[in-house]
Amino acid sequence: MVRYENYINGEWVQPLSGSYTKNVNPATGEVLGEVAKSGPEDVDRAVAAAKRAQKEWRLVPAPERAEILYEVARILKEKKEYLAEILTSEMGKVIAEARGEVQEAIDMAYYMAGEGRRLFGDTVPSELRNKFAMSVRVPVGIAGLITPWNFPIAIASWKSLPALVSGNAVVWKPATETPFMAAEFAKIYDEAGLPKGLLNVVFGNGSVVGNALVEHPDVDIISFTGSNEVGKAINGRAGSLLKRTSLEMGGKNAVTVLEDADIDLAVDGIVWSAFGTAGQRCTACSRIIVHESVKEELESKLLARIRALKVGNGLDETVDVGPVINRASLERIHSYVQKGVEEGAKLLCGGEILSEGDLAEGHYYAPTLFTNVSPGMVIAREEIFGPVTSIIPVRSLEEAIEVNNSVEFGLSSSIFTKDVNKVFTAMRDFDTGIVYVNAGTTGAEIHLPFGGTKGTGNGHRDSGVAALDVYTEWKSVYVDFSGTLQRAQIDNK
């Protein structure tokens, strides 16, 4: 029995409670190991280690900090296949997707290592003679990171790498469903030469460990990816403590298919976006907004593709859709499907828990398609987080935009059309942080900001240069070498 313990100050240590919980393969029901069930005292130990380490780390030149990130990238690349297999075993996504996720962490490591030679500030002309004016980035201090199970290494890389290259220390609470991946990532940082105490991993329930991070007076920022309910609670409490928060939460993403679209391409984009990771993505396509003139063609082709999807263990290279994470998710997804039927949506395929043969011990849900869905239905408004998508017919681009923007979320949207005027209209009017043209709603690249509007987040972004704004403060510096007192806005007029 493998035990995943906390990683504090460069050492693997037992939780002070001595308690553990099971880590289960969602594809087979196999117990993979036990993961520490930590408490506030474990968070205190990790924060103390981070505080000690950050005092020296902030003084290390950023290009020198970046050298460790380059080494992280090299090790990730070397271990890519091994990590992908762990990832699939722990959370279920098919192996090709797991490889892609590890590659995203590799890309992020190289990218943020490059920022160690930039971390750009600004130099500007002063309004006074013999005076120099500039702004520089400085680290915030200690970053508390709370990450989900659906992208256990990609999202961890989005947060930890910019935090560290900027001169911060990290206390990380990974999802308890994916401890093996978190432990391996910590080992990679250690192997790359990251000084002790700069990355600390504390496993445990969000309501305990997450709350302890939010409440801790020495934690300066909370970066969270997860549900809206939890994110709002974090934001409210952290705000009252004047802590910075970066929140990336839910999505109710739509693919819009207009009358002139390449329907086959649209089907490709929808299938990938709706059923990749078994629909357990914040960018998953759970709404298909289609012009009524091409609805029947799209519906027919999409239905054929969905019925041909192979569901099973993601380690099988021939499988298209893996399991969902646990039994609770299965039941939640099924309750939404039942609600859709009750509301009058037409169920075209799926809509059932799969438990026959090799699927009996895992958590599998049939890829599900609804049609004749109206924008006001629950299944068209709430995040399901499973392999379920719905067709909503419209009569025009204007109506499609209205439907797209009608939900409380604003993460990702997509449009399929050959009309450049309609493309630019959608780019302007879709109220989402990400817009795709002639592609699905998923597939972000690490050198652009990732995040959304409205209920999806609070304005901060993971990934890209924008991620540095989360983990740095701006300091304005004025150097007056005139030898006299000069008063801005007074002596220059």
Side-chain angles (χ1 to χ4, degrees), residues 8 33 55 99 168 275 336-337 339 360 419-420 435 466 475 492:
I8 297 175
K55 288 180 180 179
R99 293 181 186 118
N168 302 281
F275 304 112
Y336 271 110
V337 170
K339 183 66 175 177
D419 188 326
V420 68
V435 176
K475 180 180 288 188
N492 61 326

Side-chain angles (χ1 to χ4, degrees), residues 13 82 97 143 185 189 203 228 249 286 301 306 388 430 477:
V13 295
Y82 168 68
E97 290 184 58
F185 201 18
Y189 270 116
F203 294 109
N228 281 59
M249 300 180 290
S286 59
K301 290 183 174 181
I306 294 171
V388 180
F430 281 169
V477 180

